[in-house]
Amino acid sequence: QKEVEQDPGPLSVPEGAIVSLNCTYSNSAFQYFMWYRQYSRKGPELLMYTYSSGNKEDGRFTAQVDKSSKYISLFIRDSQPSDSATYLCAMSEGSFQKLVFGTGTRLLVSP
Amino acid sequence: DAGITQSPRHKVTETGTPVTLRCHQTENHRYMYWYRQDPGHGLRLIHYSYGVKDTDKGEVSDGYSVSRSKTEDFLLTLESATSSQTSVYFCAISESAGGRTDTQYFGPGTRLTVL
């Protein structure tokens, strides 16, 4: 079993839809949670960063962490074709940071 | 790409040849990392550095070595390339190892094909 599980997709939605992307994990020591967005043939870019449990909002993006369920989510409101990319979750225990990544979910937003 | 460049961006080589990939940063960040990205596996850490001449192994370090003689440069060497090392290689940097500033920023990647 992988330490971080993420559905590879692709997830196809129409423009304007609310998108929910999720990861589950098995290591209860994870404290830092990140979402990266990766466009085709580009490097991952940091989208959201959350410490411990709770919600964090940034524009159309909301990151949610439920440590009791070992489950994190990224919500995208009013999705746009420019949101079409692969979304990677990542997490670490803290101190010296070794990130553990999910395999990524490919999102396709059609006009 | 947060002041990170990788060279070469694309390389095709033959099995058994040595290959060196270079990561260069202009951010003066202390920590540097090398990852490989493969379908079904996501990003996996190969080696990392926490200062000049200070390096350590990651999850998939077999067949790879690294060197860091200057803050801005981190080299990844495949001593004798194998087809299983065909992958996309990403360099990342982070300012520190604690708190908000430990966020990793990634370079554009190097696509390596070993025939």
Side-chain angles (χ1 to χ4, degrees):
Chain A
Q1 182 188 6
K2 291 182 179 178
E3 206 167 4
V4 178
E5 299 276 1
Q6 188 175 8
D7 189 322
L11 176 62
S12 295
V13 301
E15 184 175 354
I18 297 174
V19 175
S20 173
L21 303 166
N22 311 294
C23 287
T24 59
Y25 61 94
S26 56
N27 184 353
S28 58
F30 285 143
Q31 298 185 74
Y32 297 89
F33 303 91
M34 284 139 273
W35 286 95
Y36 284 83
R37 179 175 61 195
Q38 186 176 21
Y39 291 113
S40 181
R41 296 185 175 264
K42 299 286 188 182
E45 56 178 327
L46 182 69
L47 203 56
M48 298 287 283
Y49 177 102
T50 309
Y51 171 69
S52 194
S53 287
N55 292 0
K56 185 174 183 179
E57 189 173 320
D58 184 1
R60 296 185 295 112
F61 299 90
T62 299
Q64 199 170 76
V65 175
D66 182 349
K67 291 187 73 178
S68 62
S69 301
K70 298 191 184 69
Y71 189 89
I72 69 170
S73 301
L74 177 70
F75 298 96
I76 307 174
R77 292 183 299 280
D78 188 25
S79 56
Q80 302 295 309
S82 58
D83 294 328
S84 297
T86 296
Y87 289 80
L88 304 161
C89 64
M91 45 199 81
S92 76
E93 296 181 21
S95 59
F96 180 80
Q97 187 192 30
K98 291 187 185 181
L99 283 181
V100 179
F101 286 85
T103 52
T105 298
R106 187 174 171 215
L107 173 66
L108 302 171
V109 182
S110 55
Chain B
D1 292 320
I4 309 168
T5 56
Q6 292 185 231
S7 58
R9 294 294 312 280
H10 302 272
K11 186 170 181 67
V12 179
T13 191
E14 293 188 350
T15 298
T17 60
V19 176
T20 294
L21 309 182
R22 180 182 183 238
C23 177
H24 179 80
Q25 59 145 329
T26 57
E27 306 295 323
N28 200 36
H29 283 2
R30 179 180 173 188
Y31 295 89
M32 299 185 75
Y33 313 80
W34 276 108
Y35 290 88
R36 60 179 289 174
Q37 187 174 38
D38 304 287
H41 291 278
L43 283 158
R44 292 180 291 174
L45 182 65
I46 305 171
H47 280 280
Y48 60 94
S49 170
Y50 44 96
V52 173
K53 298 192 190 310
D54 293 322
T55 65
D56 206 347
K57 296 178 180 180
E59 177 188 356
V60 289
S61 58
D62 287 348
Y64 302 95
S65 62
V66 290
S67 65
R68 190 169 178 200
S69 58
K70 297 186 289 185
T71 298
E72 58 266 34
D73 290 324
F74 193 31
L75 304 180
L76 176 70
T77 297
L78 290 66
E79 302 290 348
S80 177
T82 67
S83 58
S84 65
Q85 293 175 313
T86 292
S87 186
V88 181
Y89 291 85
F90 288 100
C91 174
I93 64 174
S94 67
E95 187 174 351
S96 70
R100 182 66 178 85
T101 55
D102 62 1
T103 303
Q104 293 186 21
Y105 298 93
F106 286 81
T110 293
R111 190 170 294 270
L112 175 68
T113 302
V114 183
L115 301 175

